Amino acid sequence: MPQLRATRRNGGEARIVILSSVGSALCKTVDVDRCIPPAANVYNGTAEYGVSKAMNLFHCRELQQLCARDGILCCAVHPGVIKTGLTREGNADSTML
């Protein structure tokens, strides 16, 4: 952060980019006490992916609030869809990606 702040003080632009995904929409609710780490009997890869991407968005929002006073922009982006084990599963949730 010191380098980003110095860049802004010197008139430059400073950004923090966090990779997330439209998969964050797979996250319906989050009970942090139950999901870090998830119990083996309730683990669902697609749901956990959604939780992890939603957490990226929450992190970005909080970071933006902290950085705004320094003029540092924080944003989360969806980089696109690639073939991974998640998308190859072919379940209804993962095919929406």
Side-chain angles (χ1 to χ4, degrees):
M1 291 298 290
Q3 186 63 43
L4 292 173
R5 287 185 179 114
T7 298
R8 287 294 299 144
R9 278 194 304 273
N10 293 325
E13 294 184 17
R15 294 182 192 91
I16 298 172
V17 179
I18 297 173
L19 293 181
S20 190
S21 170
V22 296
S24 62
L26 298 171
C27 179
K28 305 302 181 206
T29 62
V30 177
D31 179 351
V32 175
D33 293 328
R34 285 190 51 215
C35 70
I36 302 176
N41 64 328
V42 295
Y43 181 81
N44 174 301
T46 302
E48 298 306 323
Y49 178 81
V51 168
S52 73
K53 297 308 164 187
M55 292 295 180
N56 286 353
L57 293 178
F58 298 151
H59 175 230
C60 185
R61 288 177 184 170
E62 181 66 21
L63 195 56
Q64 178 60 47
Q65 290 179 357
L66 296 172
C67 292
R69 65 179 168 256
D70 296 316
I72 299 169
L73 174 67
C74 301
C75 59
V77 299
H78 169 65
V81 179
I82 60 170
K83 282 197 173 215
T84 66
L86 179 65
T87 56
R88 282 191 295 268
E89 286 176 9
N91 63 45
D93 285 337
S94 67
T95 56
M96 62 79 68
L97 300 174

